[in-house]
Amino acid sequence: MDQLLANIKIQVNDKIYVKDPETTTLGRKIIKNSLIMMDEIGFDNFTFKKLGELIGSNESSIYRYFENKHKLLVYLSSWYWSWIEYKMVFATANITAPLDQLLKALEIVTEKIEDDQNTPYINEALLNKIIIAEFTKTFLTKEVDEENKEGFFLIYKRVINRMAAMVILIAPAYPYSKSLISSIVEGALHQHFLKDHFKTITDCNEMVSPSDFYKHLIQHLLSPKS
Amino acid sequence: MDQLLANIKIQVNDKIYVKDPETTTLGRKIIKNSLIMMDEIGFDNFTFKKLGELIGSNESSIYRYFENKHKLLVYLSSWYWSWIEYKMVFATANITAPLDQLLKALEIVTEKIEDDQNTPYINEALLNKIIIAEFTKTFLTKEVDEENKEGFFLIYKRVINRMAAMVILIAPAYPYSKSLISSIVEGALHQHFLKDHFKTITDCNEMVSPSDFYKHLIQHLLSPKS
DNA sequence: CTTAAATTGATAGTATTACTATTACATTTG
DNA sequence: CAAATGTAATAGTAATACTATCAATTTAAG
């Protein structure tokens, strides 16, 4: 799978960017270093001017790729979920038992990510940290509805619907498949945050991962006895 | 309970404000109208200058109450969770069966809120909408750890721990009481958001509430059979 | 009831942010 | 080699996020 991932171009809605950053050196530099900088100072303190200074490039050059920093974050998120979706489809393709399939998918959306080395200008470990800390900001805006119509969140929603479909295969009578999965996907990011910042309201830590918690939840909730 | 609430002063950590807004007319005006304005234009577009114009007061006067808009949001959140905690303690006090107690508490943290009329300058229905849309922004910052040390999120964490304690009473062997509750409390806000903006990834709608989903979850997860 | 203290309003000012526009130069590609 | 594309530099605007100062007003204390 590592080899295959190297040959796949992650798809991102082209309305998100002004110019596709994957096509030029500067574009890739923007992506790579925006990850480093956002991780370091956070999205709120991040500006195109600072990024320009970091990469020895002009602020206005960055505006040629992204309208504003919000769109850049939407781009990074979209890339992330597209990459997750790819990993998920691939990892679950050969699994026949629906429950095992769901557990595998669950692992992929809830685990802590390591850099996968196949995308030279995207450090997935960093990106995962940024998603944990900043993803909700992409849609908690007054412009959500418009941006949703433009399809900015399509891949994210597709990932959730794929998993919800697996839930239905396992437990056709369970009435909350979508809410369960959207709750888990969002919740996993939240639990990662809690274990780093609000340790007193989570059971997750070095030994227990959000994956463990949610696997247990799924198994007890969807097992045939209940 | 409505009567009693009228006589209780909701406690908010005094490090959050420069000057207690509950003590003056202008302070109460700031709170009341910041709710109206944030609901209308969202936290990101909200500024003290705009608020000043709305209440016919000067920007600099508002800075005498709150250092910045972030602190104001932290204040509103803190007030909200304090109010929720009060309602929860009160509503569960007479319930002896632990499961019923938890279900009642669950209802309080997950239900859509109506204005309770007892706090003249705080419209709880509006505040609830703002919490759904903006609460995560209070802690998804680079300053979380410092602010957490200052106790800005204490009440929120206490609400979660109260409920986690109920879970332990019901199912002493269940190993994820804190993660379950923190996941639910955050998740309920998220489900409310989804039903208004991303309808395709939730089962919640006019007929089915986030409370229904989570009550079902808790009952199936903590029932003695599993 | 008067005086001091606290509160508010008005004005002004600074640094930073979030852009847009223009022009010139450099590089790649056909 | 010419055209197209990409980049850098500069300048400029409007808004944001404050701080400082001072005068006017309100309130509270003796």
Side-chain angles (χ1 to χ4, degrees), chain A residues 39-144:
Chain A
D39 176 53
E40 210 179 303
I41 64 175
F43 178 72
D44 297 345
N45 301 314
F46 172 93
T47 70
F48 281 179
K49 194 172 186 186
K50 289 178 191 167
L51 179 63
E53 276 158 26
L54 177 68
I55 65 180
S57 196
N58 203 270
E59 191 189 2
S60 56
S61 303
I62 302 169
Y63 278 105
R64 293 215 186 82
Y65 290 84
F66 295 101
E67 256 181 73
N68 50 48
K69 68 173 180 174
H70 171 252
K71 289 276 178 73
L72 170 55
L73 184 60
V74 173
Y75 177 90
L76 296 175
S77 304
S78 212
W79 196 99
Y80 179 79
W81 293 112
S82 181
W83 178 71
I84 289 284
E85 183 184 37
Y86 182 80
K87 292 214 298 178
M88 183 181 295
V89 170
F90 211 83
T92 56
N94 301 322
I95 304 174
T96 44
L99 182 61
D100 292 337
Q101 204 176 49
L102 179 61
L103 290 174
K104 186 72 203 172
L106 190 66
E107 200 178 298
I108 286 167
V109 291
T110 61
E111 77 190 344
K112 188 170 182 173
I113 305 289
E114 318 269 321
D115 187 14
D116 97 349
Q117 310 287 5
N118 283 308
T119 41
Y121 60 96
I122 295 200
N123 178 331
E124 285 82 4
L126 266 191
L127 180 53
N128 177 238
K129 285 178 72 182
I130 290 166
I131 293 297
I132 289 168
E134 323 286 3
F135 177 57
T136 63
K137 295 175 189 169
T138 62
F139 54 79
L140 294 181
T141 69
K142 276 284 159 183
E143 297 80 34
V144 218

